[in-house]
Amino acid sequence: MNTSIIKSTILFALVLCSCMACGNKMSKHQGAQEEPKLIKAPVFNADSAYKFVADQCNFGPRVPNTEAHRRCGDYLVAKFKSYGATVVEQKVDLTAYDGKTVLKARNIIASINPMAAKRLLVCAHWDCRPWADNDPDSANWCKPVMGANDAASGVAVMLEMARLIQTQPLNIGVDFICFDAEDYGLPQWENYYMDSSSSWCLGSQYWAAHPHVYDYRPRFGILLDMVGGMGCTFSKESYSMRFAPQVVDLIWKTAAKLGYSQFFPTREGGYITDDHVPVNEIARIPCVNIVPYFTEGPSSFGPTWHTVYDDIEHIDPNVLKAVGQTVIQVIYNENQ
Ligand code: AHN
Ligand code: ZN
């Protein structure tokens, strides 16, 4: 063989190789179409998360304008700081559905690697509902909800993730946002007309219109709402499917890879008015809601929702584990 044929053969091989490498890169950018890889992530400790639920409950119901709410807010700030997060608070007076009650609200924003350009948002509300207005016994409607599941569970999963990120530092940034005043929506017994959907999620509505940093653009957001209830599973919530279908796909495929597909069935749930709606519609950040969908029983959120039974007795650490391990895996998969 003469040298020019050898040279052109080598050149052809090199060009072919670089095209293949290029093809690989192209498919990587399509993200969700591809099976998620499992990059090494910390092991989510369900007992630690469970204790973070109990710690919040021990303050009492964290209803806005109460001492329990103030003390728990201070606890959350101190806890996130102790895990190395930079904490910013939005303290704002928000008006409740009645047009009168002024809620002294606090959105608590805990940032890991605040200077990193590539970021993810993880959020949950931390306030409790002032009235157990879905309780089977109407004598309980005026009592506050303890909110072990409906609030404390999502914040507990975020605290555990913040604790773990310190043990295996990330290059990307993560913002954990504890939204306030989510659960002060129109009571079920109020039957006068109003657009009741805007009476929920007051803290996230405020944040979405006034983000804590200028031009805040995380890749995507994940909302955790009621992620510790016994017997719950998480269907693909419909606003999440409308606004962030690729992120839904990523989360549900990651859960399946980890062996949690029984907690994350691939069917679609309904449209849920929740904190991810203002995040999507006002802040324009694609955000998925991980929220229970019970097919049986009076409420799709489960038997303890807005009842006096939403307590630590009805929290299942295995549910916290399935959600926490899945979300921390999604975070570490993005760490490149
Ligand atoms: C409605 O009931 C319209 N949305 C439920 C949002 C919620 C309340 N999440 C927890 N508590
Ligand atoms: Zn609620």
Side-chain angles (χ1 to χ4, degrees):
M1 236 191 278
N2 75 34
T3 47
S4 80
I5 293 179
I6 294 172
K7 271 186 190 158
S8 57
T9 309
I10 290 171
L11 190 66
F12 177 74
L14 281 173
V15 168
L16 191 69
C17 278
S18 69
C19 280
M20 284 161 72
C22 180
N24 259 337
K25 255 193 202 130
M26 298 282 282
S27 65
K28 231 178 217 163
H29 280 283
Q30 276 154 27
Q33 265 97 11
E34 208 179 314
E35 289 298 305
K37 293 179 200 68
L38 297 183
I39 303 236
K40 187 181 169 313
V43 176
F44 188 88
N45 185 330
D47 294 333
S48 172
Y50 185 84
K51 183 170 179 300
F52 292 140
V53 175
D55 287 349
Q56 291 173 78
C57 290
N58 286 337
F59 290 105
R62 284 81 61 214
V63 172
N65 299 348
T66 66
E67 189 59 22
H69 182 267
R70 276 186 288 278
R71 291 182 55 228
C72 185
D74 294 344
Y75 158 87
L76 294 176
V77 170
K79 256 332 208 195
F80 278 112
K81 280 187 180 167
S82 79
Y83 299 137
T86 301
V87 179
V88 174
E89 281 194 76
Q90 287 184 326
K91 295 193 179 185
V92 58
D93 289 353
L94 299 171
T95 308
Y97 65 91
D98 60 4
K100 285 192 278 248
T101 310
V102 175
L103 307 174
K104 295 274 175 199
R106 290 166 86 173
N107 289 329
I108 298 167
I109 301 138
S111 299
I112 310 288
N113 296 341
M115 299 310 286
K118 179 173 176 181
R119 316 196 62 76
L120 300 178
L121 164 66
V122 184
C123 50
H125 78 95
W126 71 277
D127 60 304
C128 294
R129 185 148 179 80
W131 324 279
D133 58 344
N134 197 48
D135 200 279
D137 181 355
S138 63
N140 290 329
W141 290 357
C142 58
K143 296 179 186 166
V145 176
M146 178 51 88
N149 193 32
D150 190 358
S153 63
V155 173
V157 168
M158 296 201 298
L159 280 173
E160 176 59 6
M161 291 194 292
R163 188 185 73 80
L164 290 170
I165 289 169
Q166 249 204 339
T167 70
Q168 190 183 322
L170 283 168
N171 300 318
I172 61 169
V174 180
D175 303 293
F176 295 107
I177 306 192
C178 307
F179 289 125
D180 203 352
E182 187 273 351
D183 233 344
Y184 222 98
L186 192 72
Q188 283 188 29
W189 64 75
E190 295 280 5
N191 52 11
Y192 61 81
Y193 174 78
M194 72 174 281
D195 174 16
S196 68
S197 66
S198 64
S199 70
W200 304 86
C201 307
L202 300 178
S204 57
Q205 289 186 54
Y206 179 83
W207 175 85
H210 309 90
H212 61 289
V213 288
Y214 178 74
D215 198 25
Y216 179 59
R217 291 268 150 246
R219 294 290 167 103
F220 56 80
I222 302 177
L223 171 63
L224 308 173
D225 193 14
M226 304 181 274
V227 292
M230 275 174 184
C232 83
T233 62
F234 306 97
S235 297
K236 297 178 172 182
E237 187 273 333
S238 300
Y239 285 113
S240 308
M241 288 298 287
R242 180 194 290 177
F243 291 113
Q246 298 201 333
V247 185
V248 171
D249 198 46
L250 192 67
I251 296 169
W252 264 252
K253 278 185 174 159
T254 302
K257 272 235 154 135
L258 291 168
Y260 297 125
S261 44
Q262 74 277 27
F263 292 97
F264 288 85
T266 52
R267 63 164 179 258
E268 189 160 334
Y271 286 94
I272 306 299
T273 301
D274 211 338
D275 290 321
H276 66 314
V277 174
V279 173
N280 278 296
E281 289 187 339
I282 303 173
R284 300 272 167 207
I285 296 163
C287 185
V288 170
N289 192 7
I290 301 181
V291 65
Y293 185 77
F294 284 76
T295 52
E296 308 282 311
S299 168
S300 73
F301 300 134
T304 68
W305 181 68
H306 293 182
T307 74
V308 297
Y309 306 102
D310 182 2
D311 54 20
I312 192 78
E313 306 292 308
H314 294 89
I315 294 293
D316 181 352
N318 298 306
V319 178
L320 297 170
K321 170 75 182 177
V323 173
Q325 194 66 62
T326 298
V327 176
I328 204 161
Q329 185 68 59
V330 168
I331 291 171
Y332 278 78
N333 278 356
E334 291 296 312
N335 190 39
Q336 45 195 329

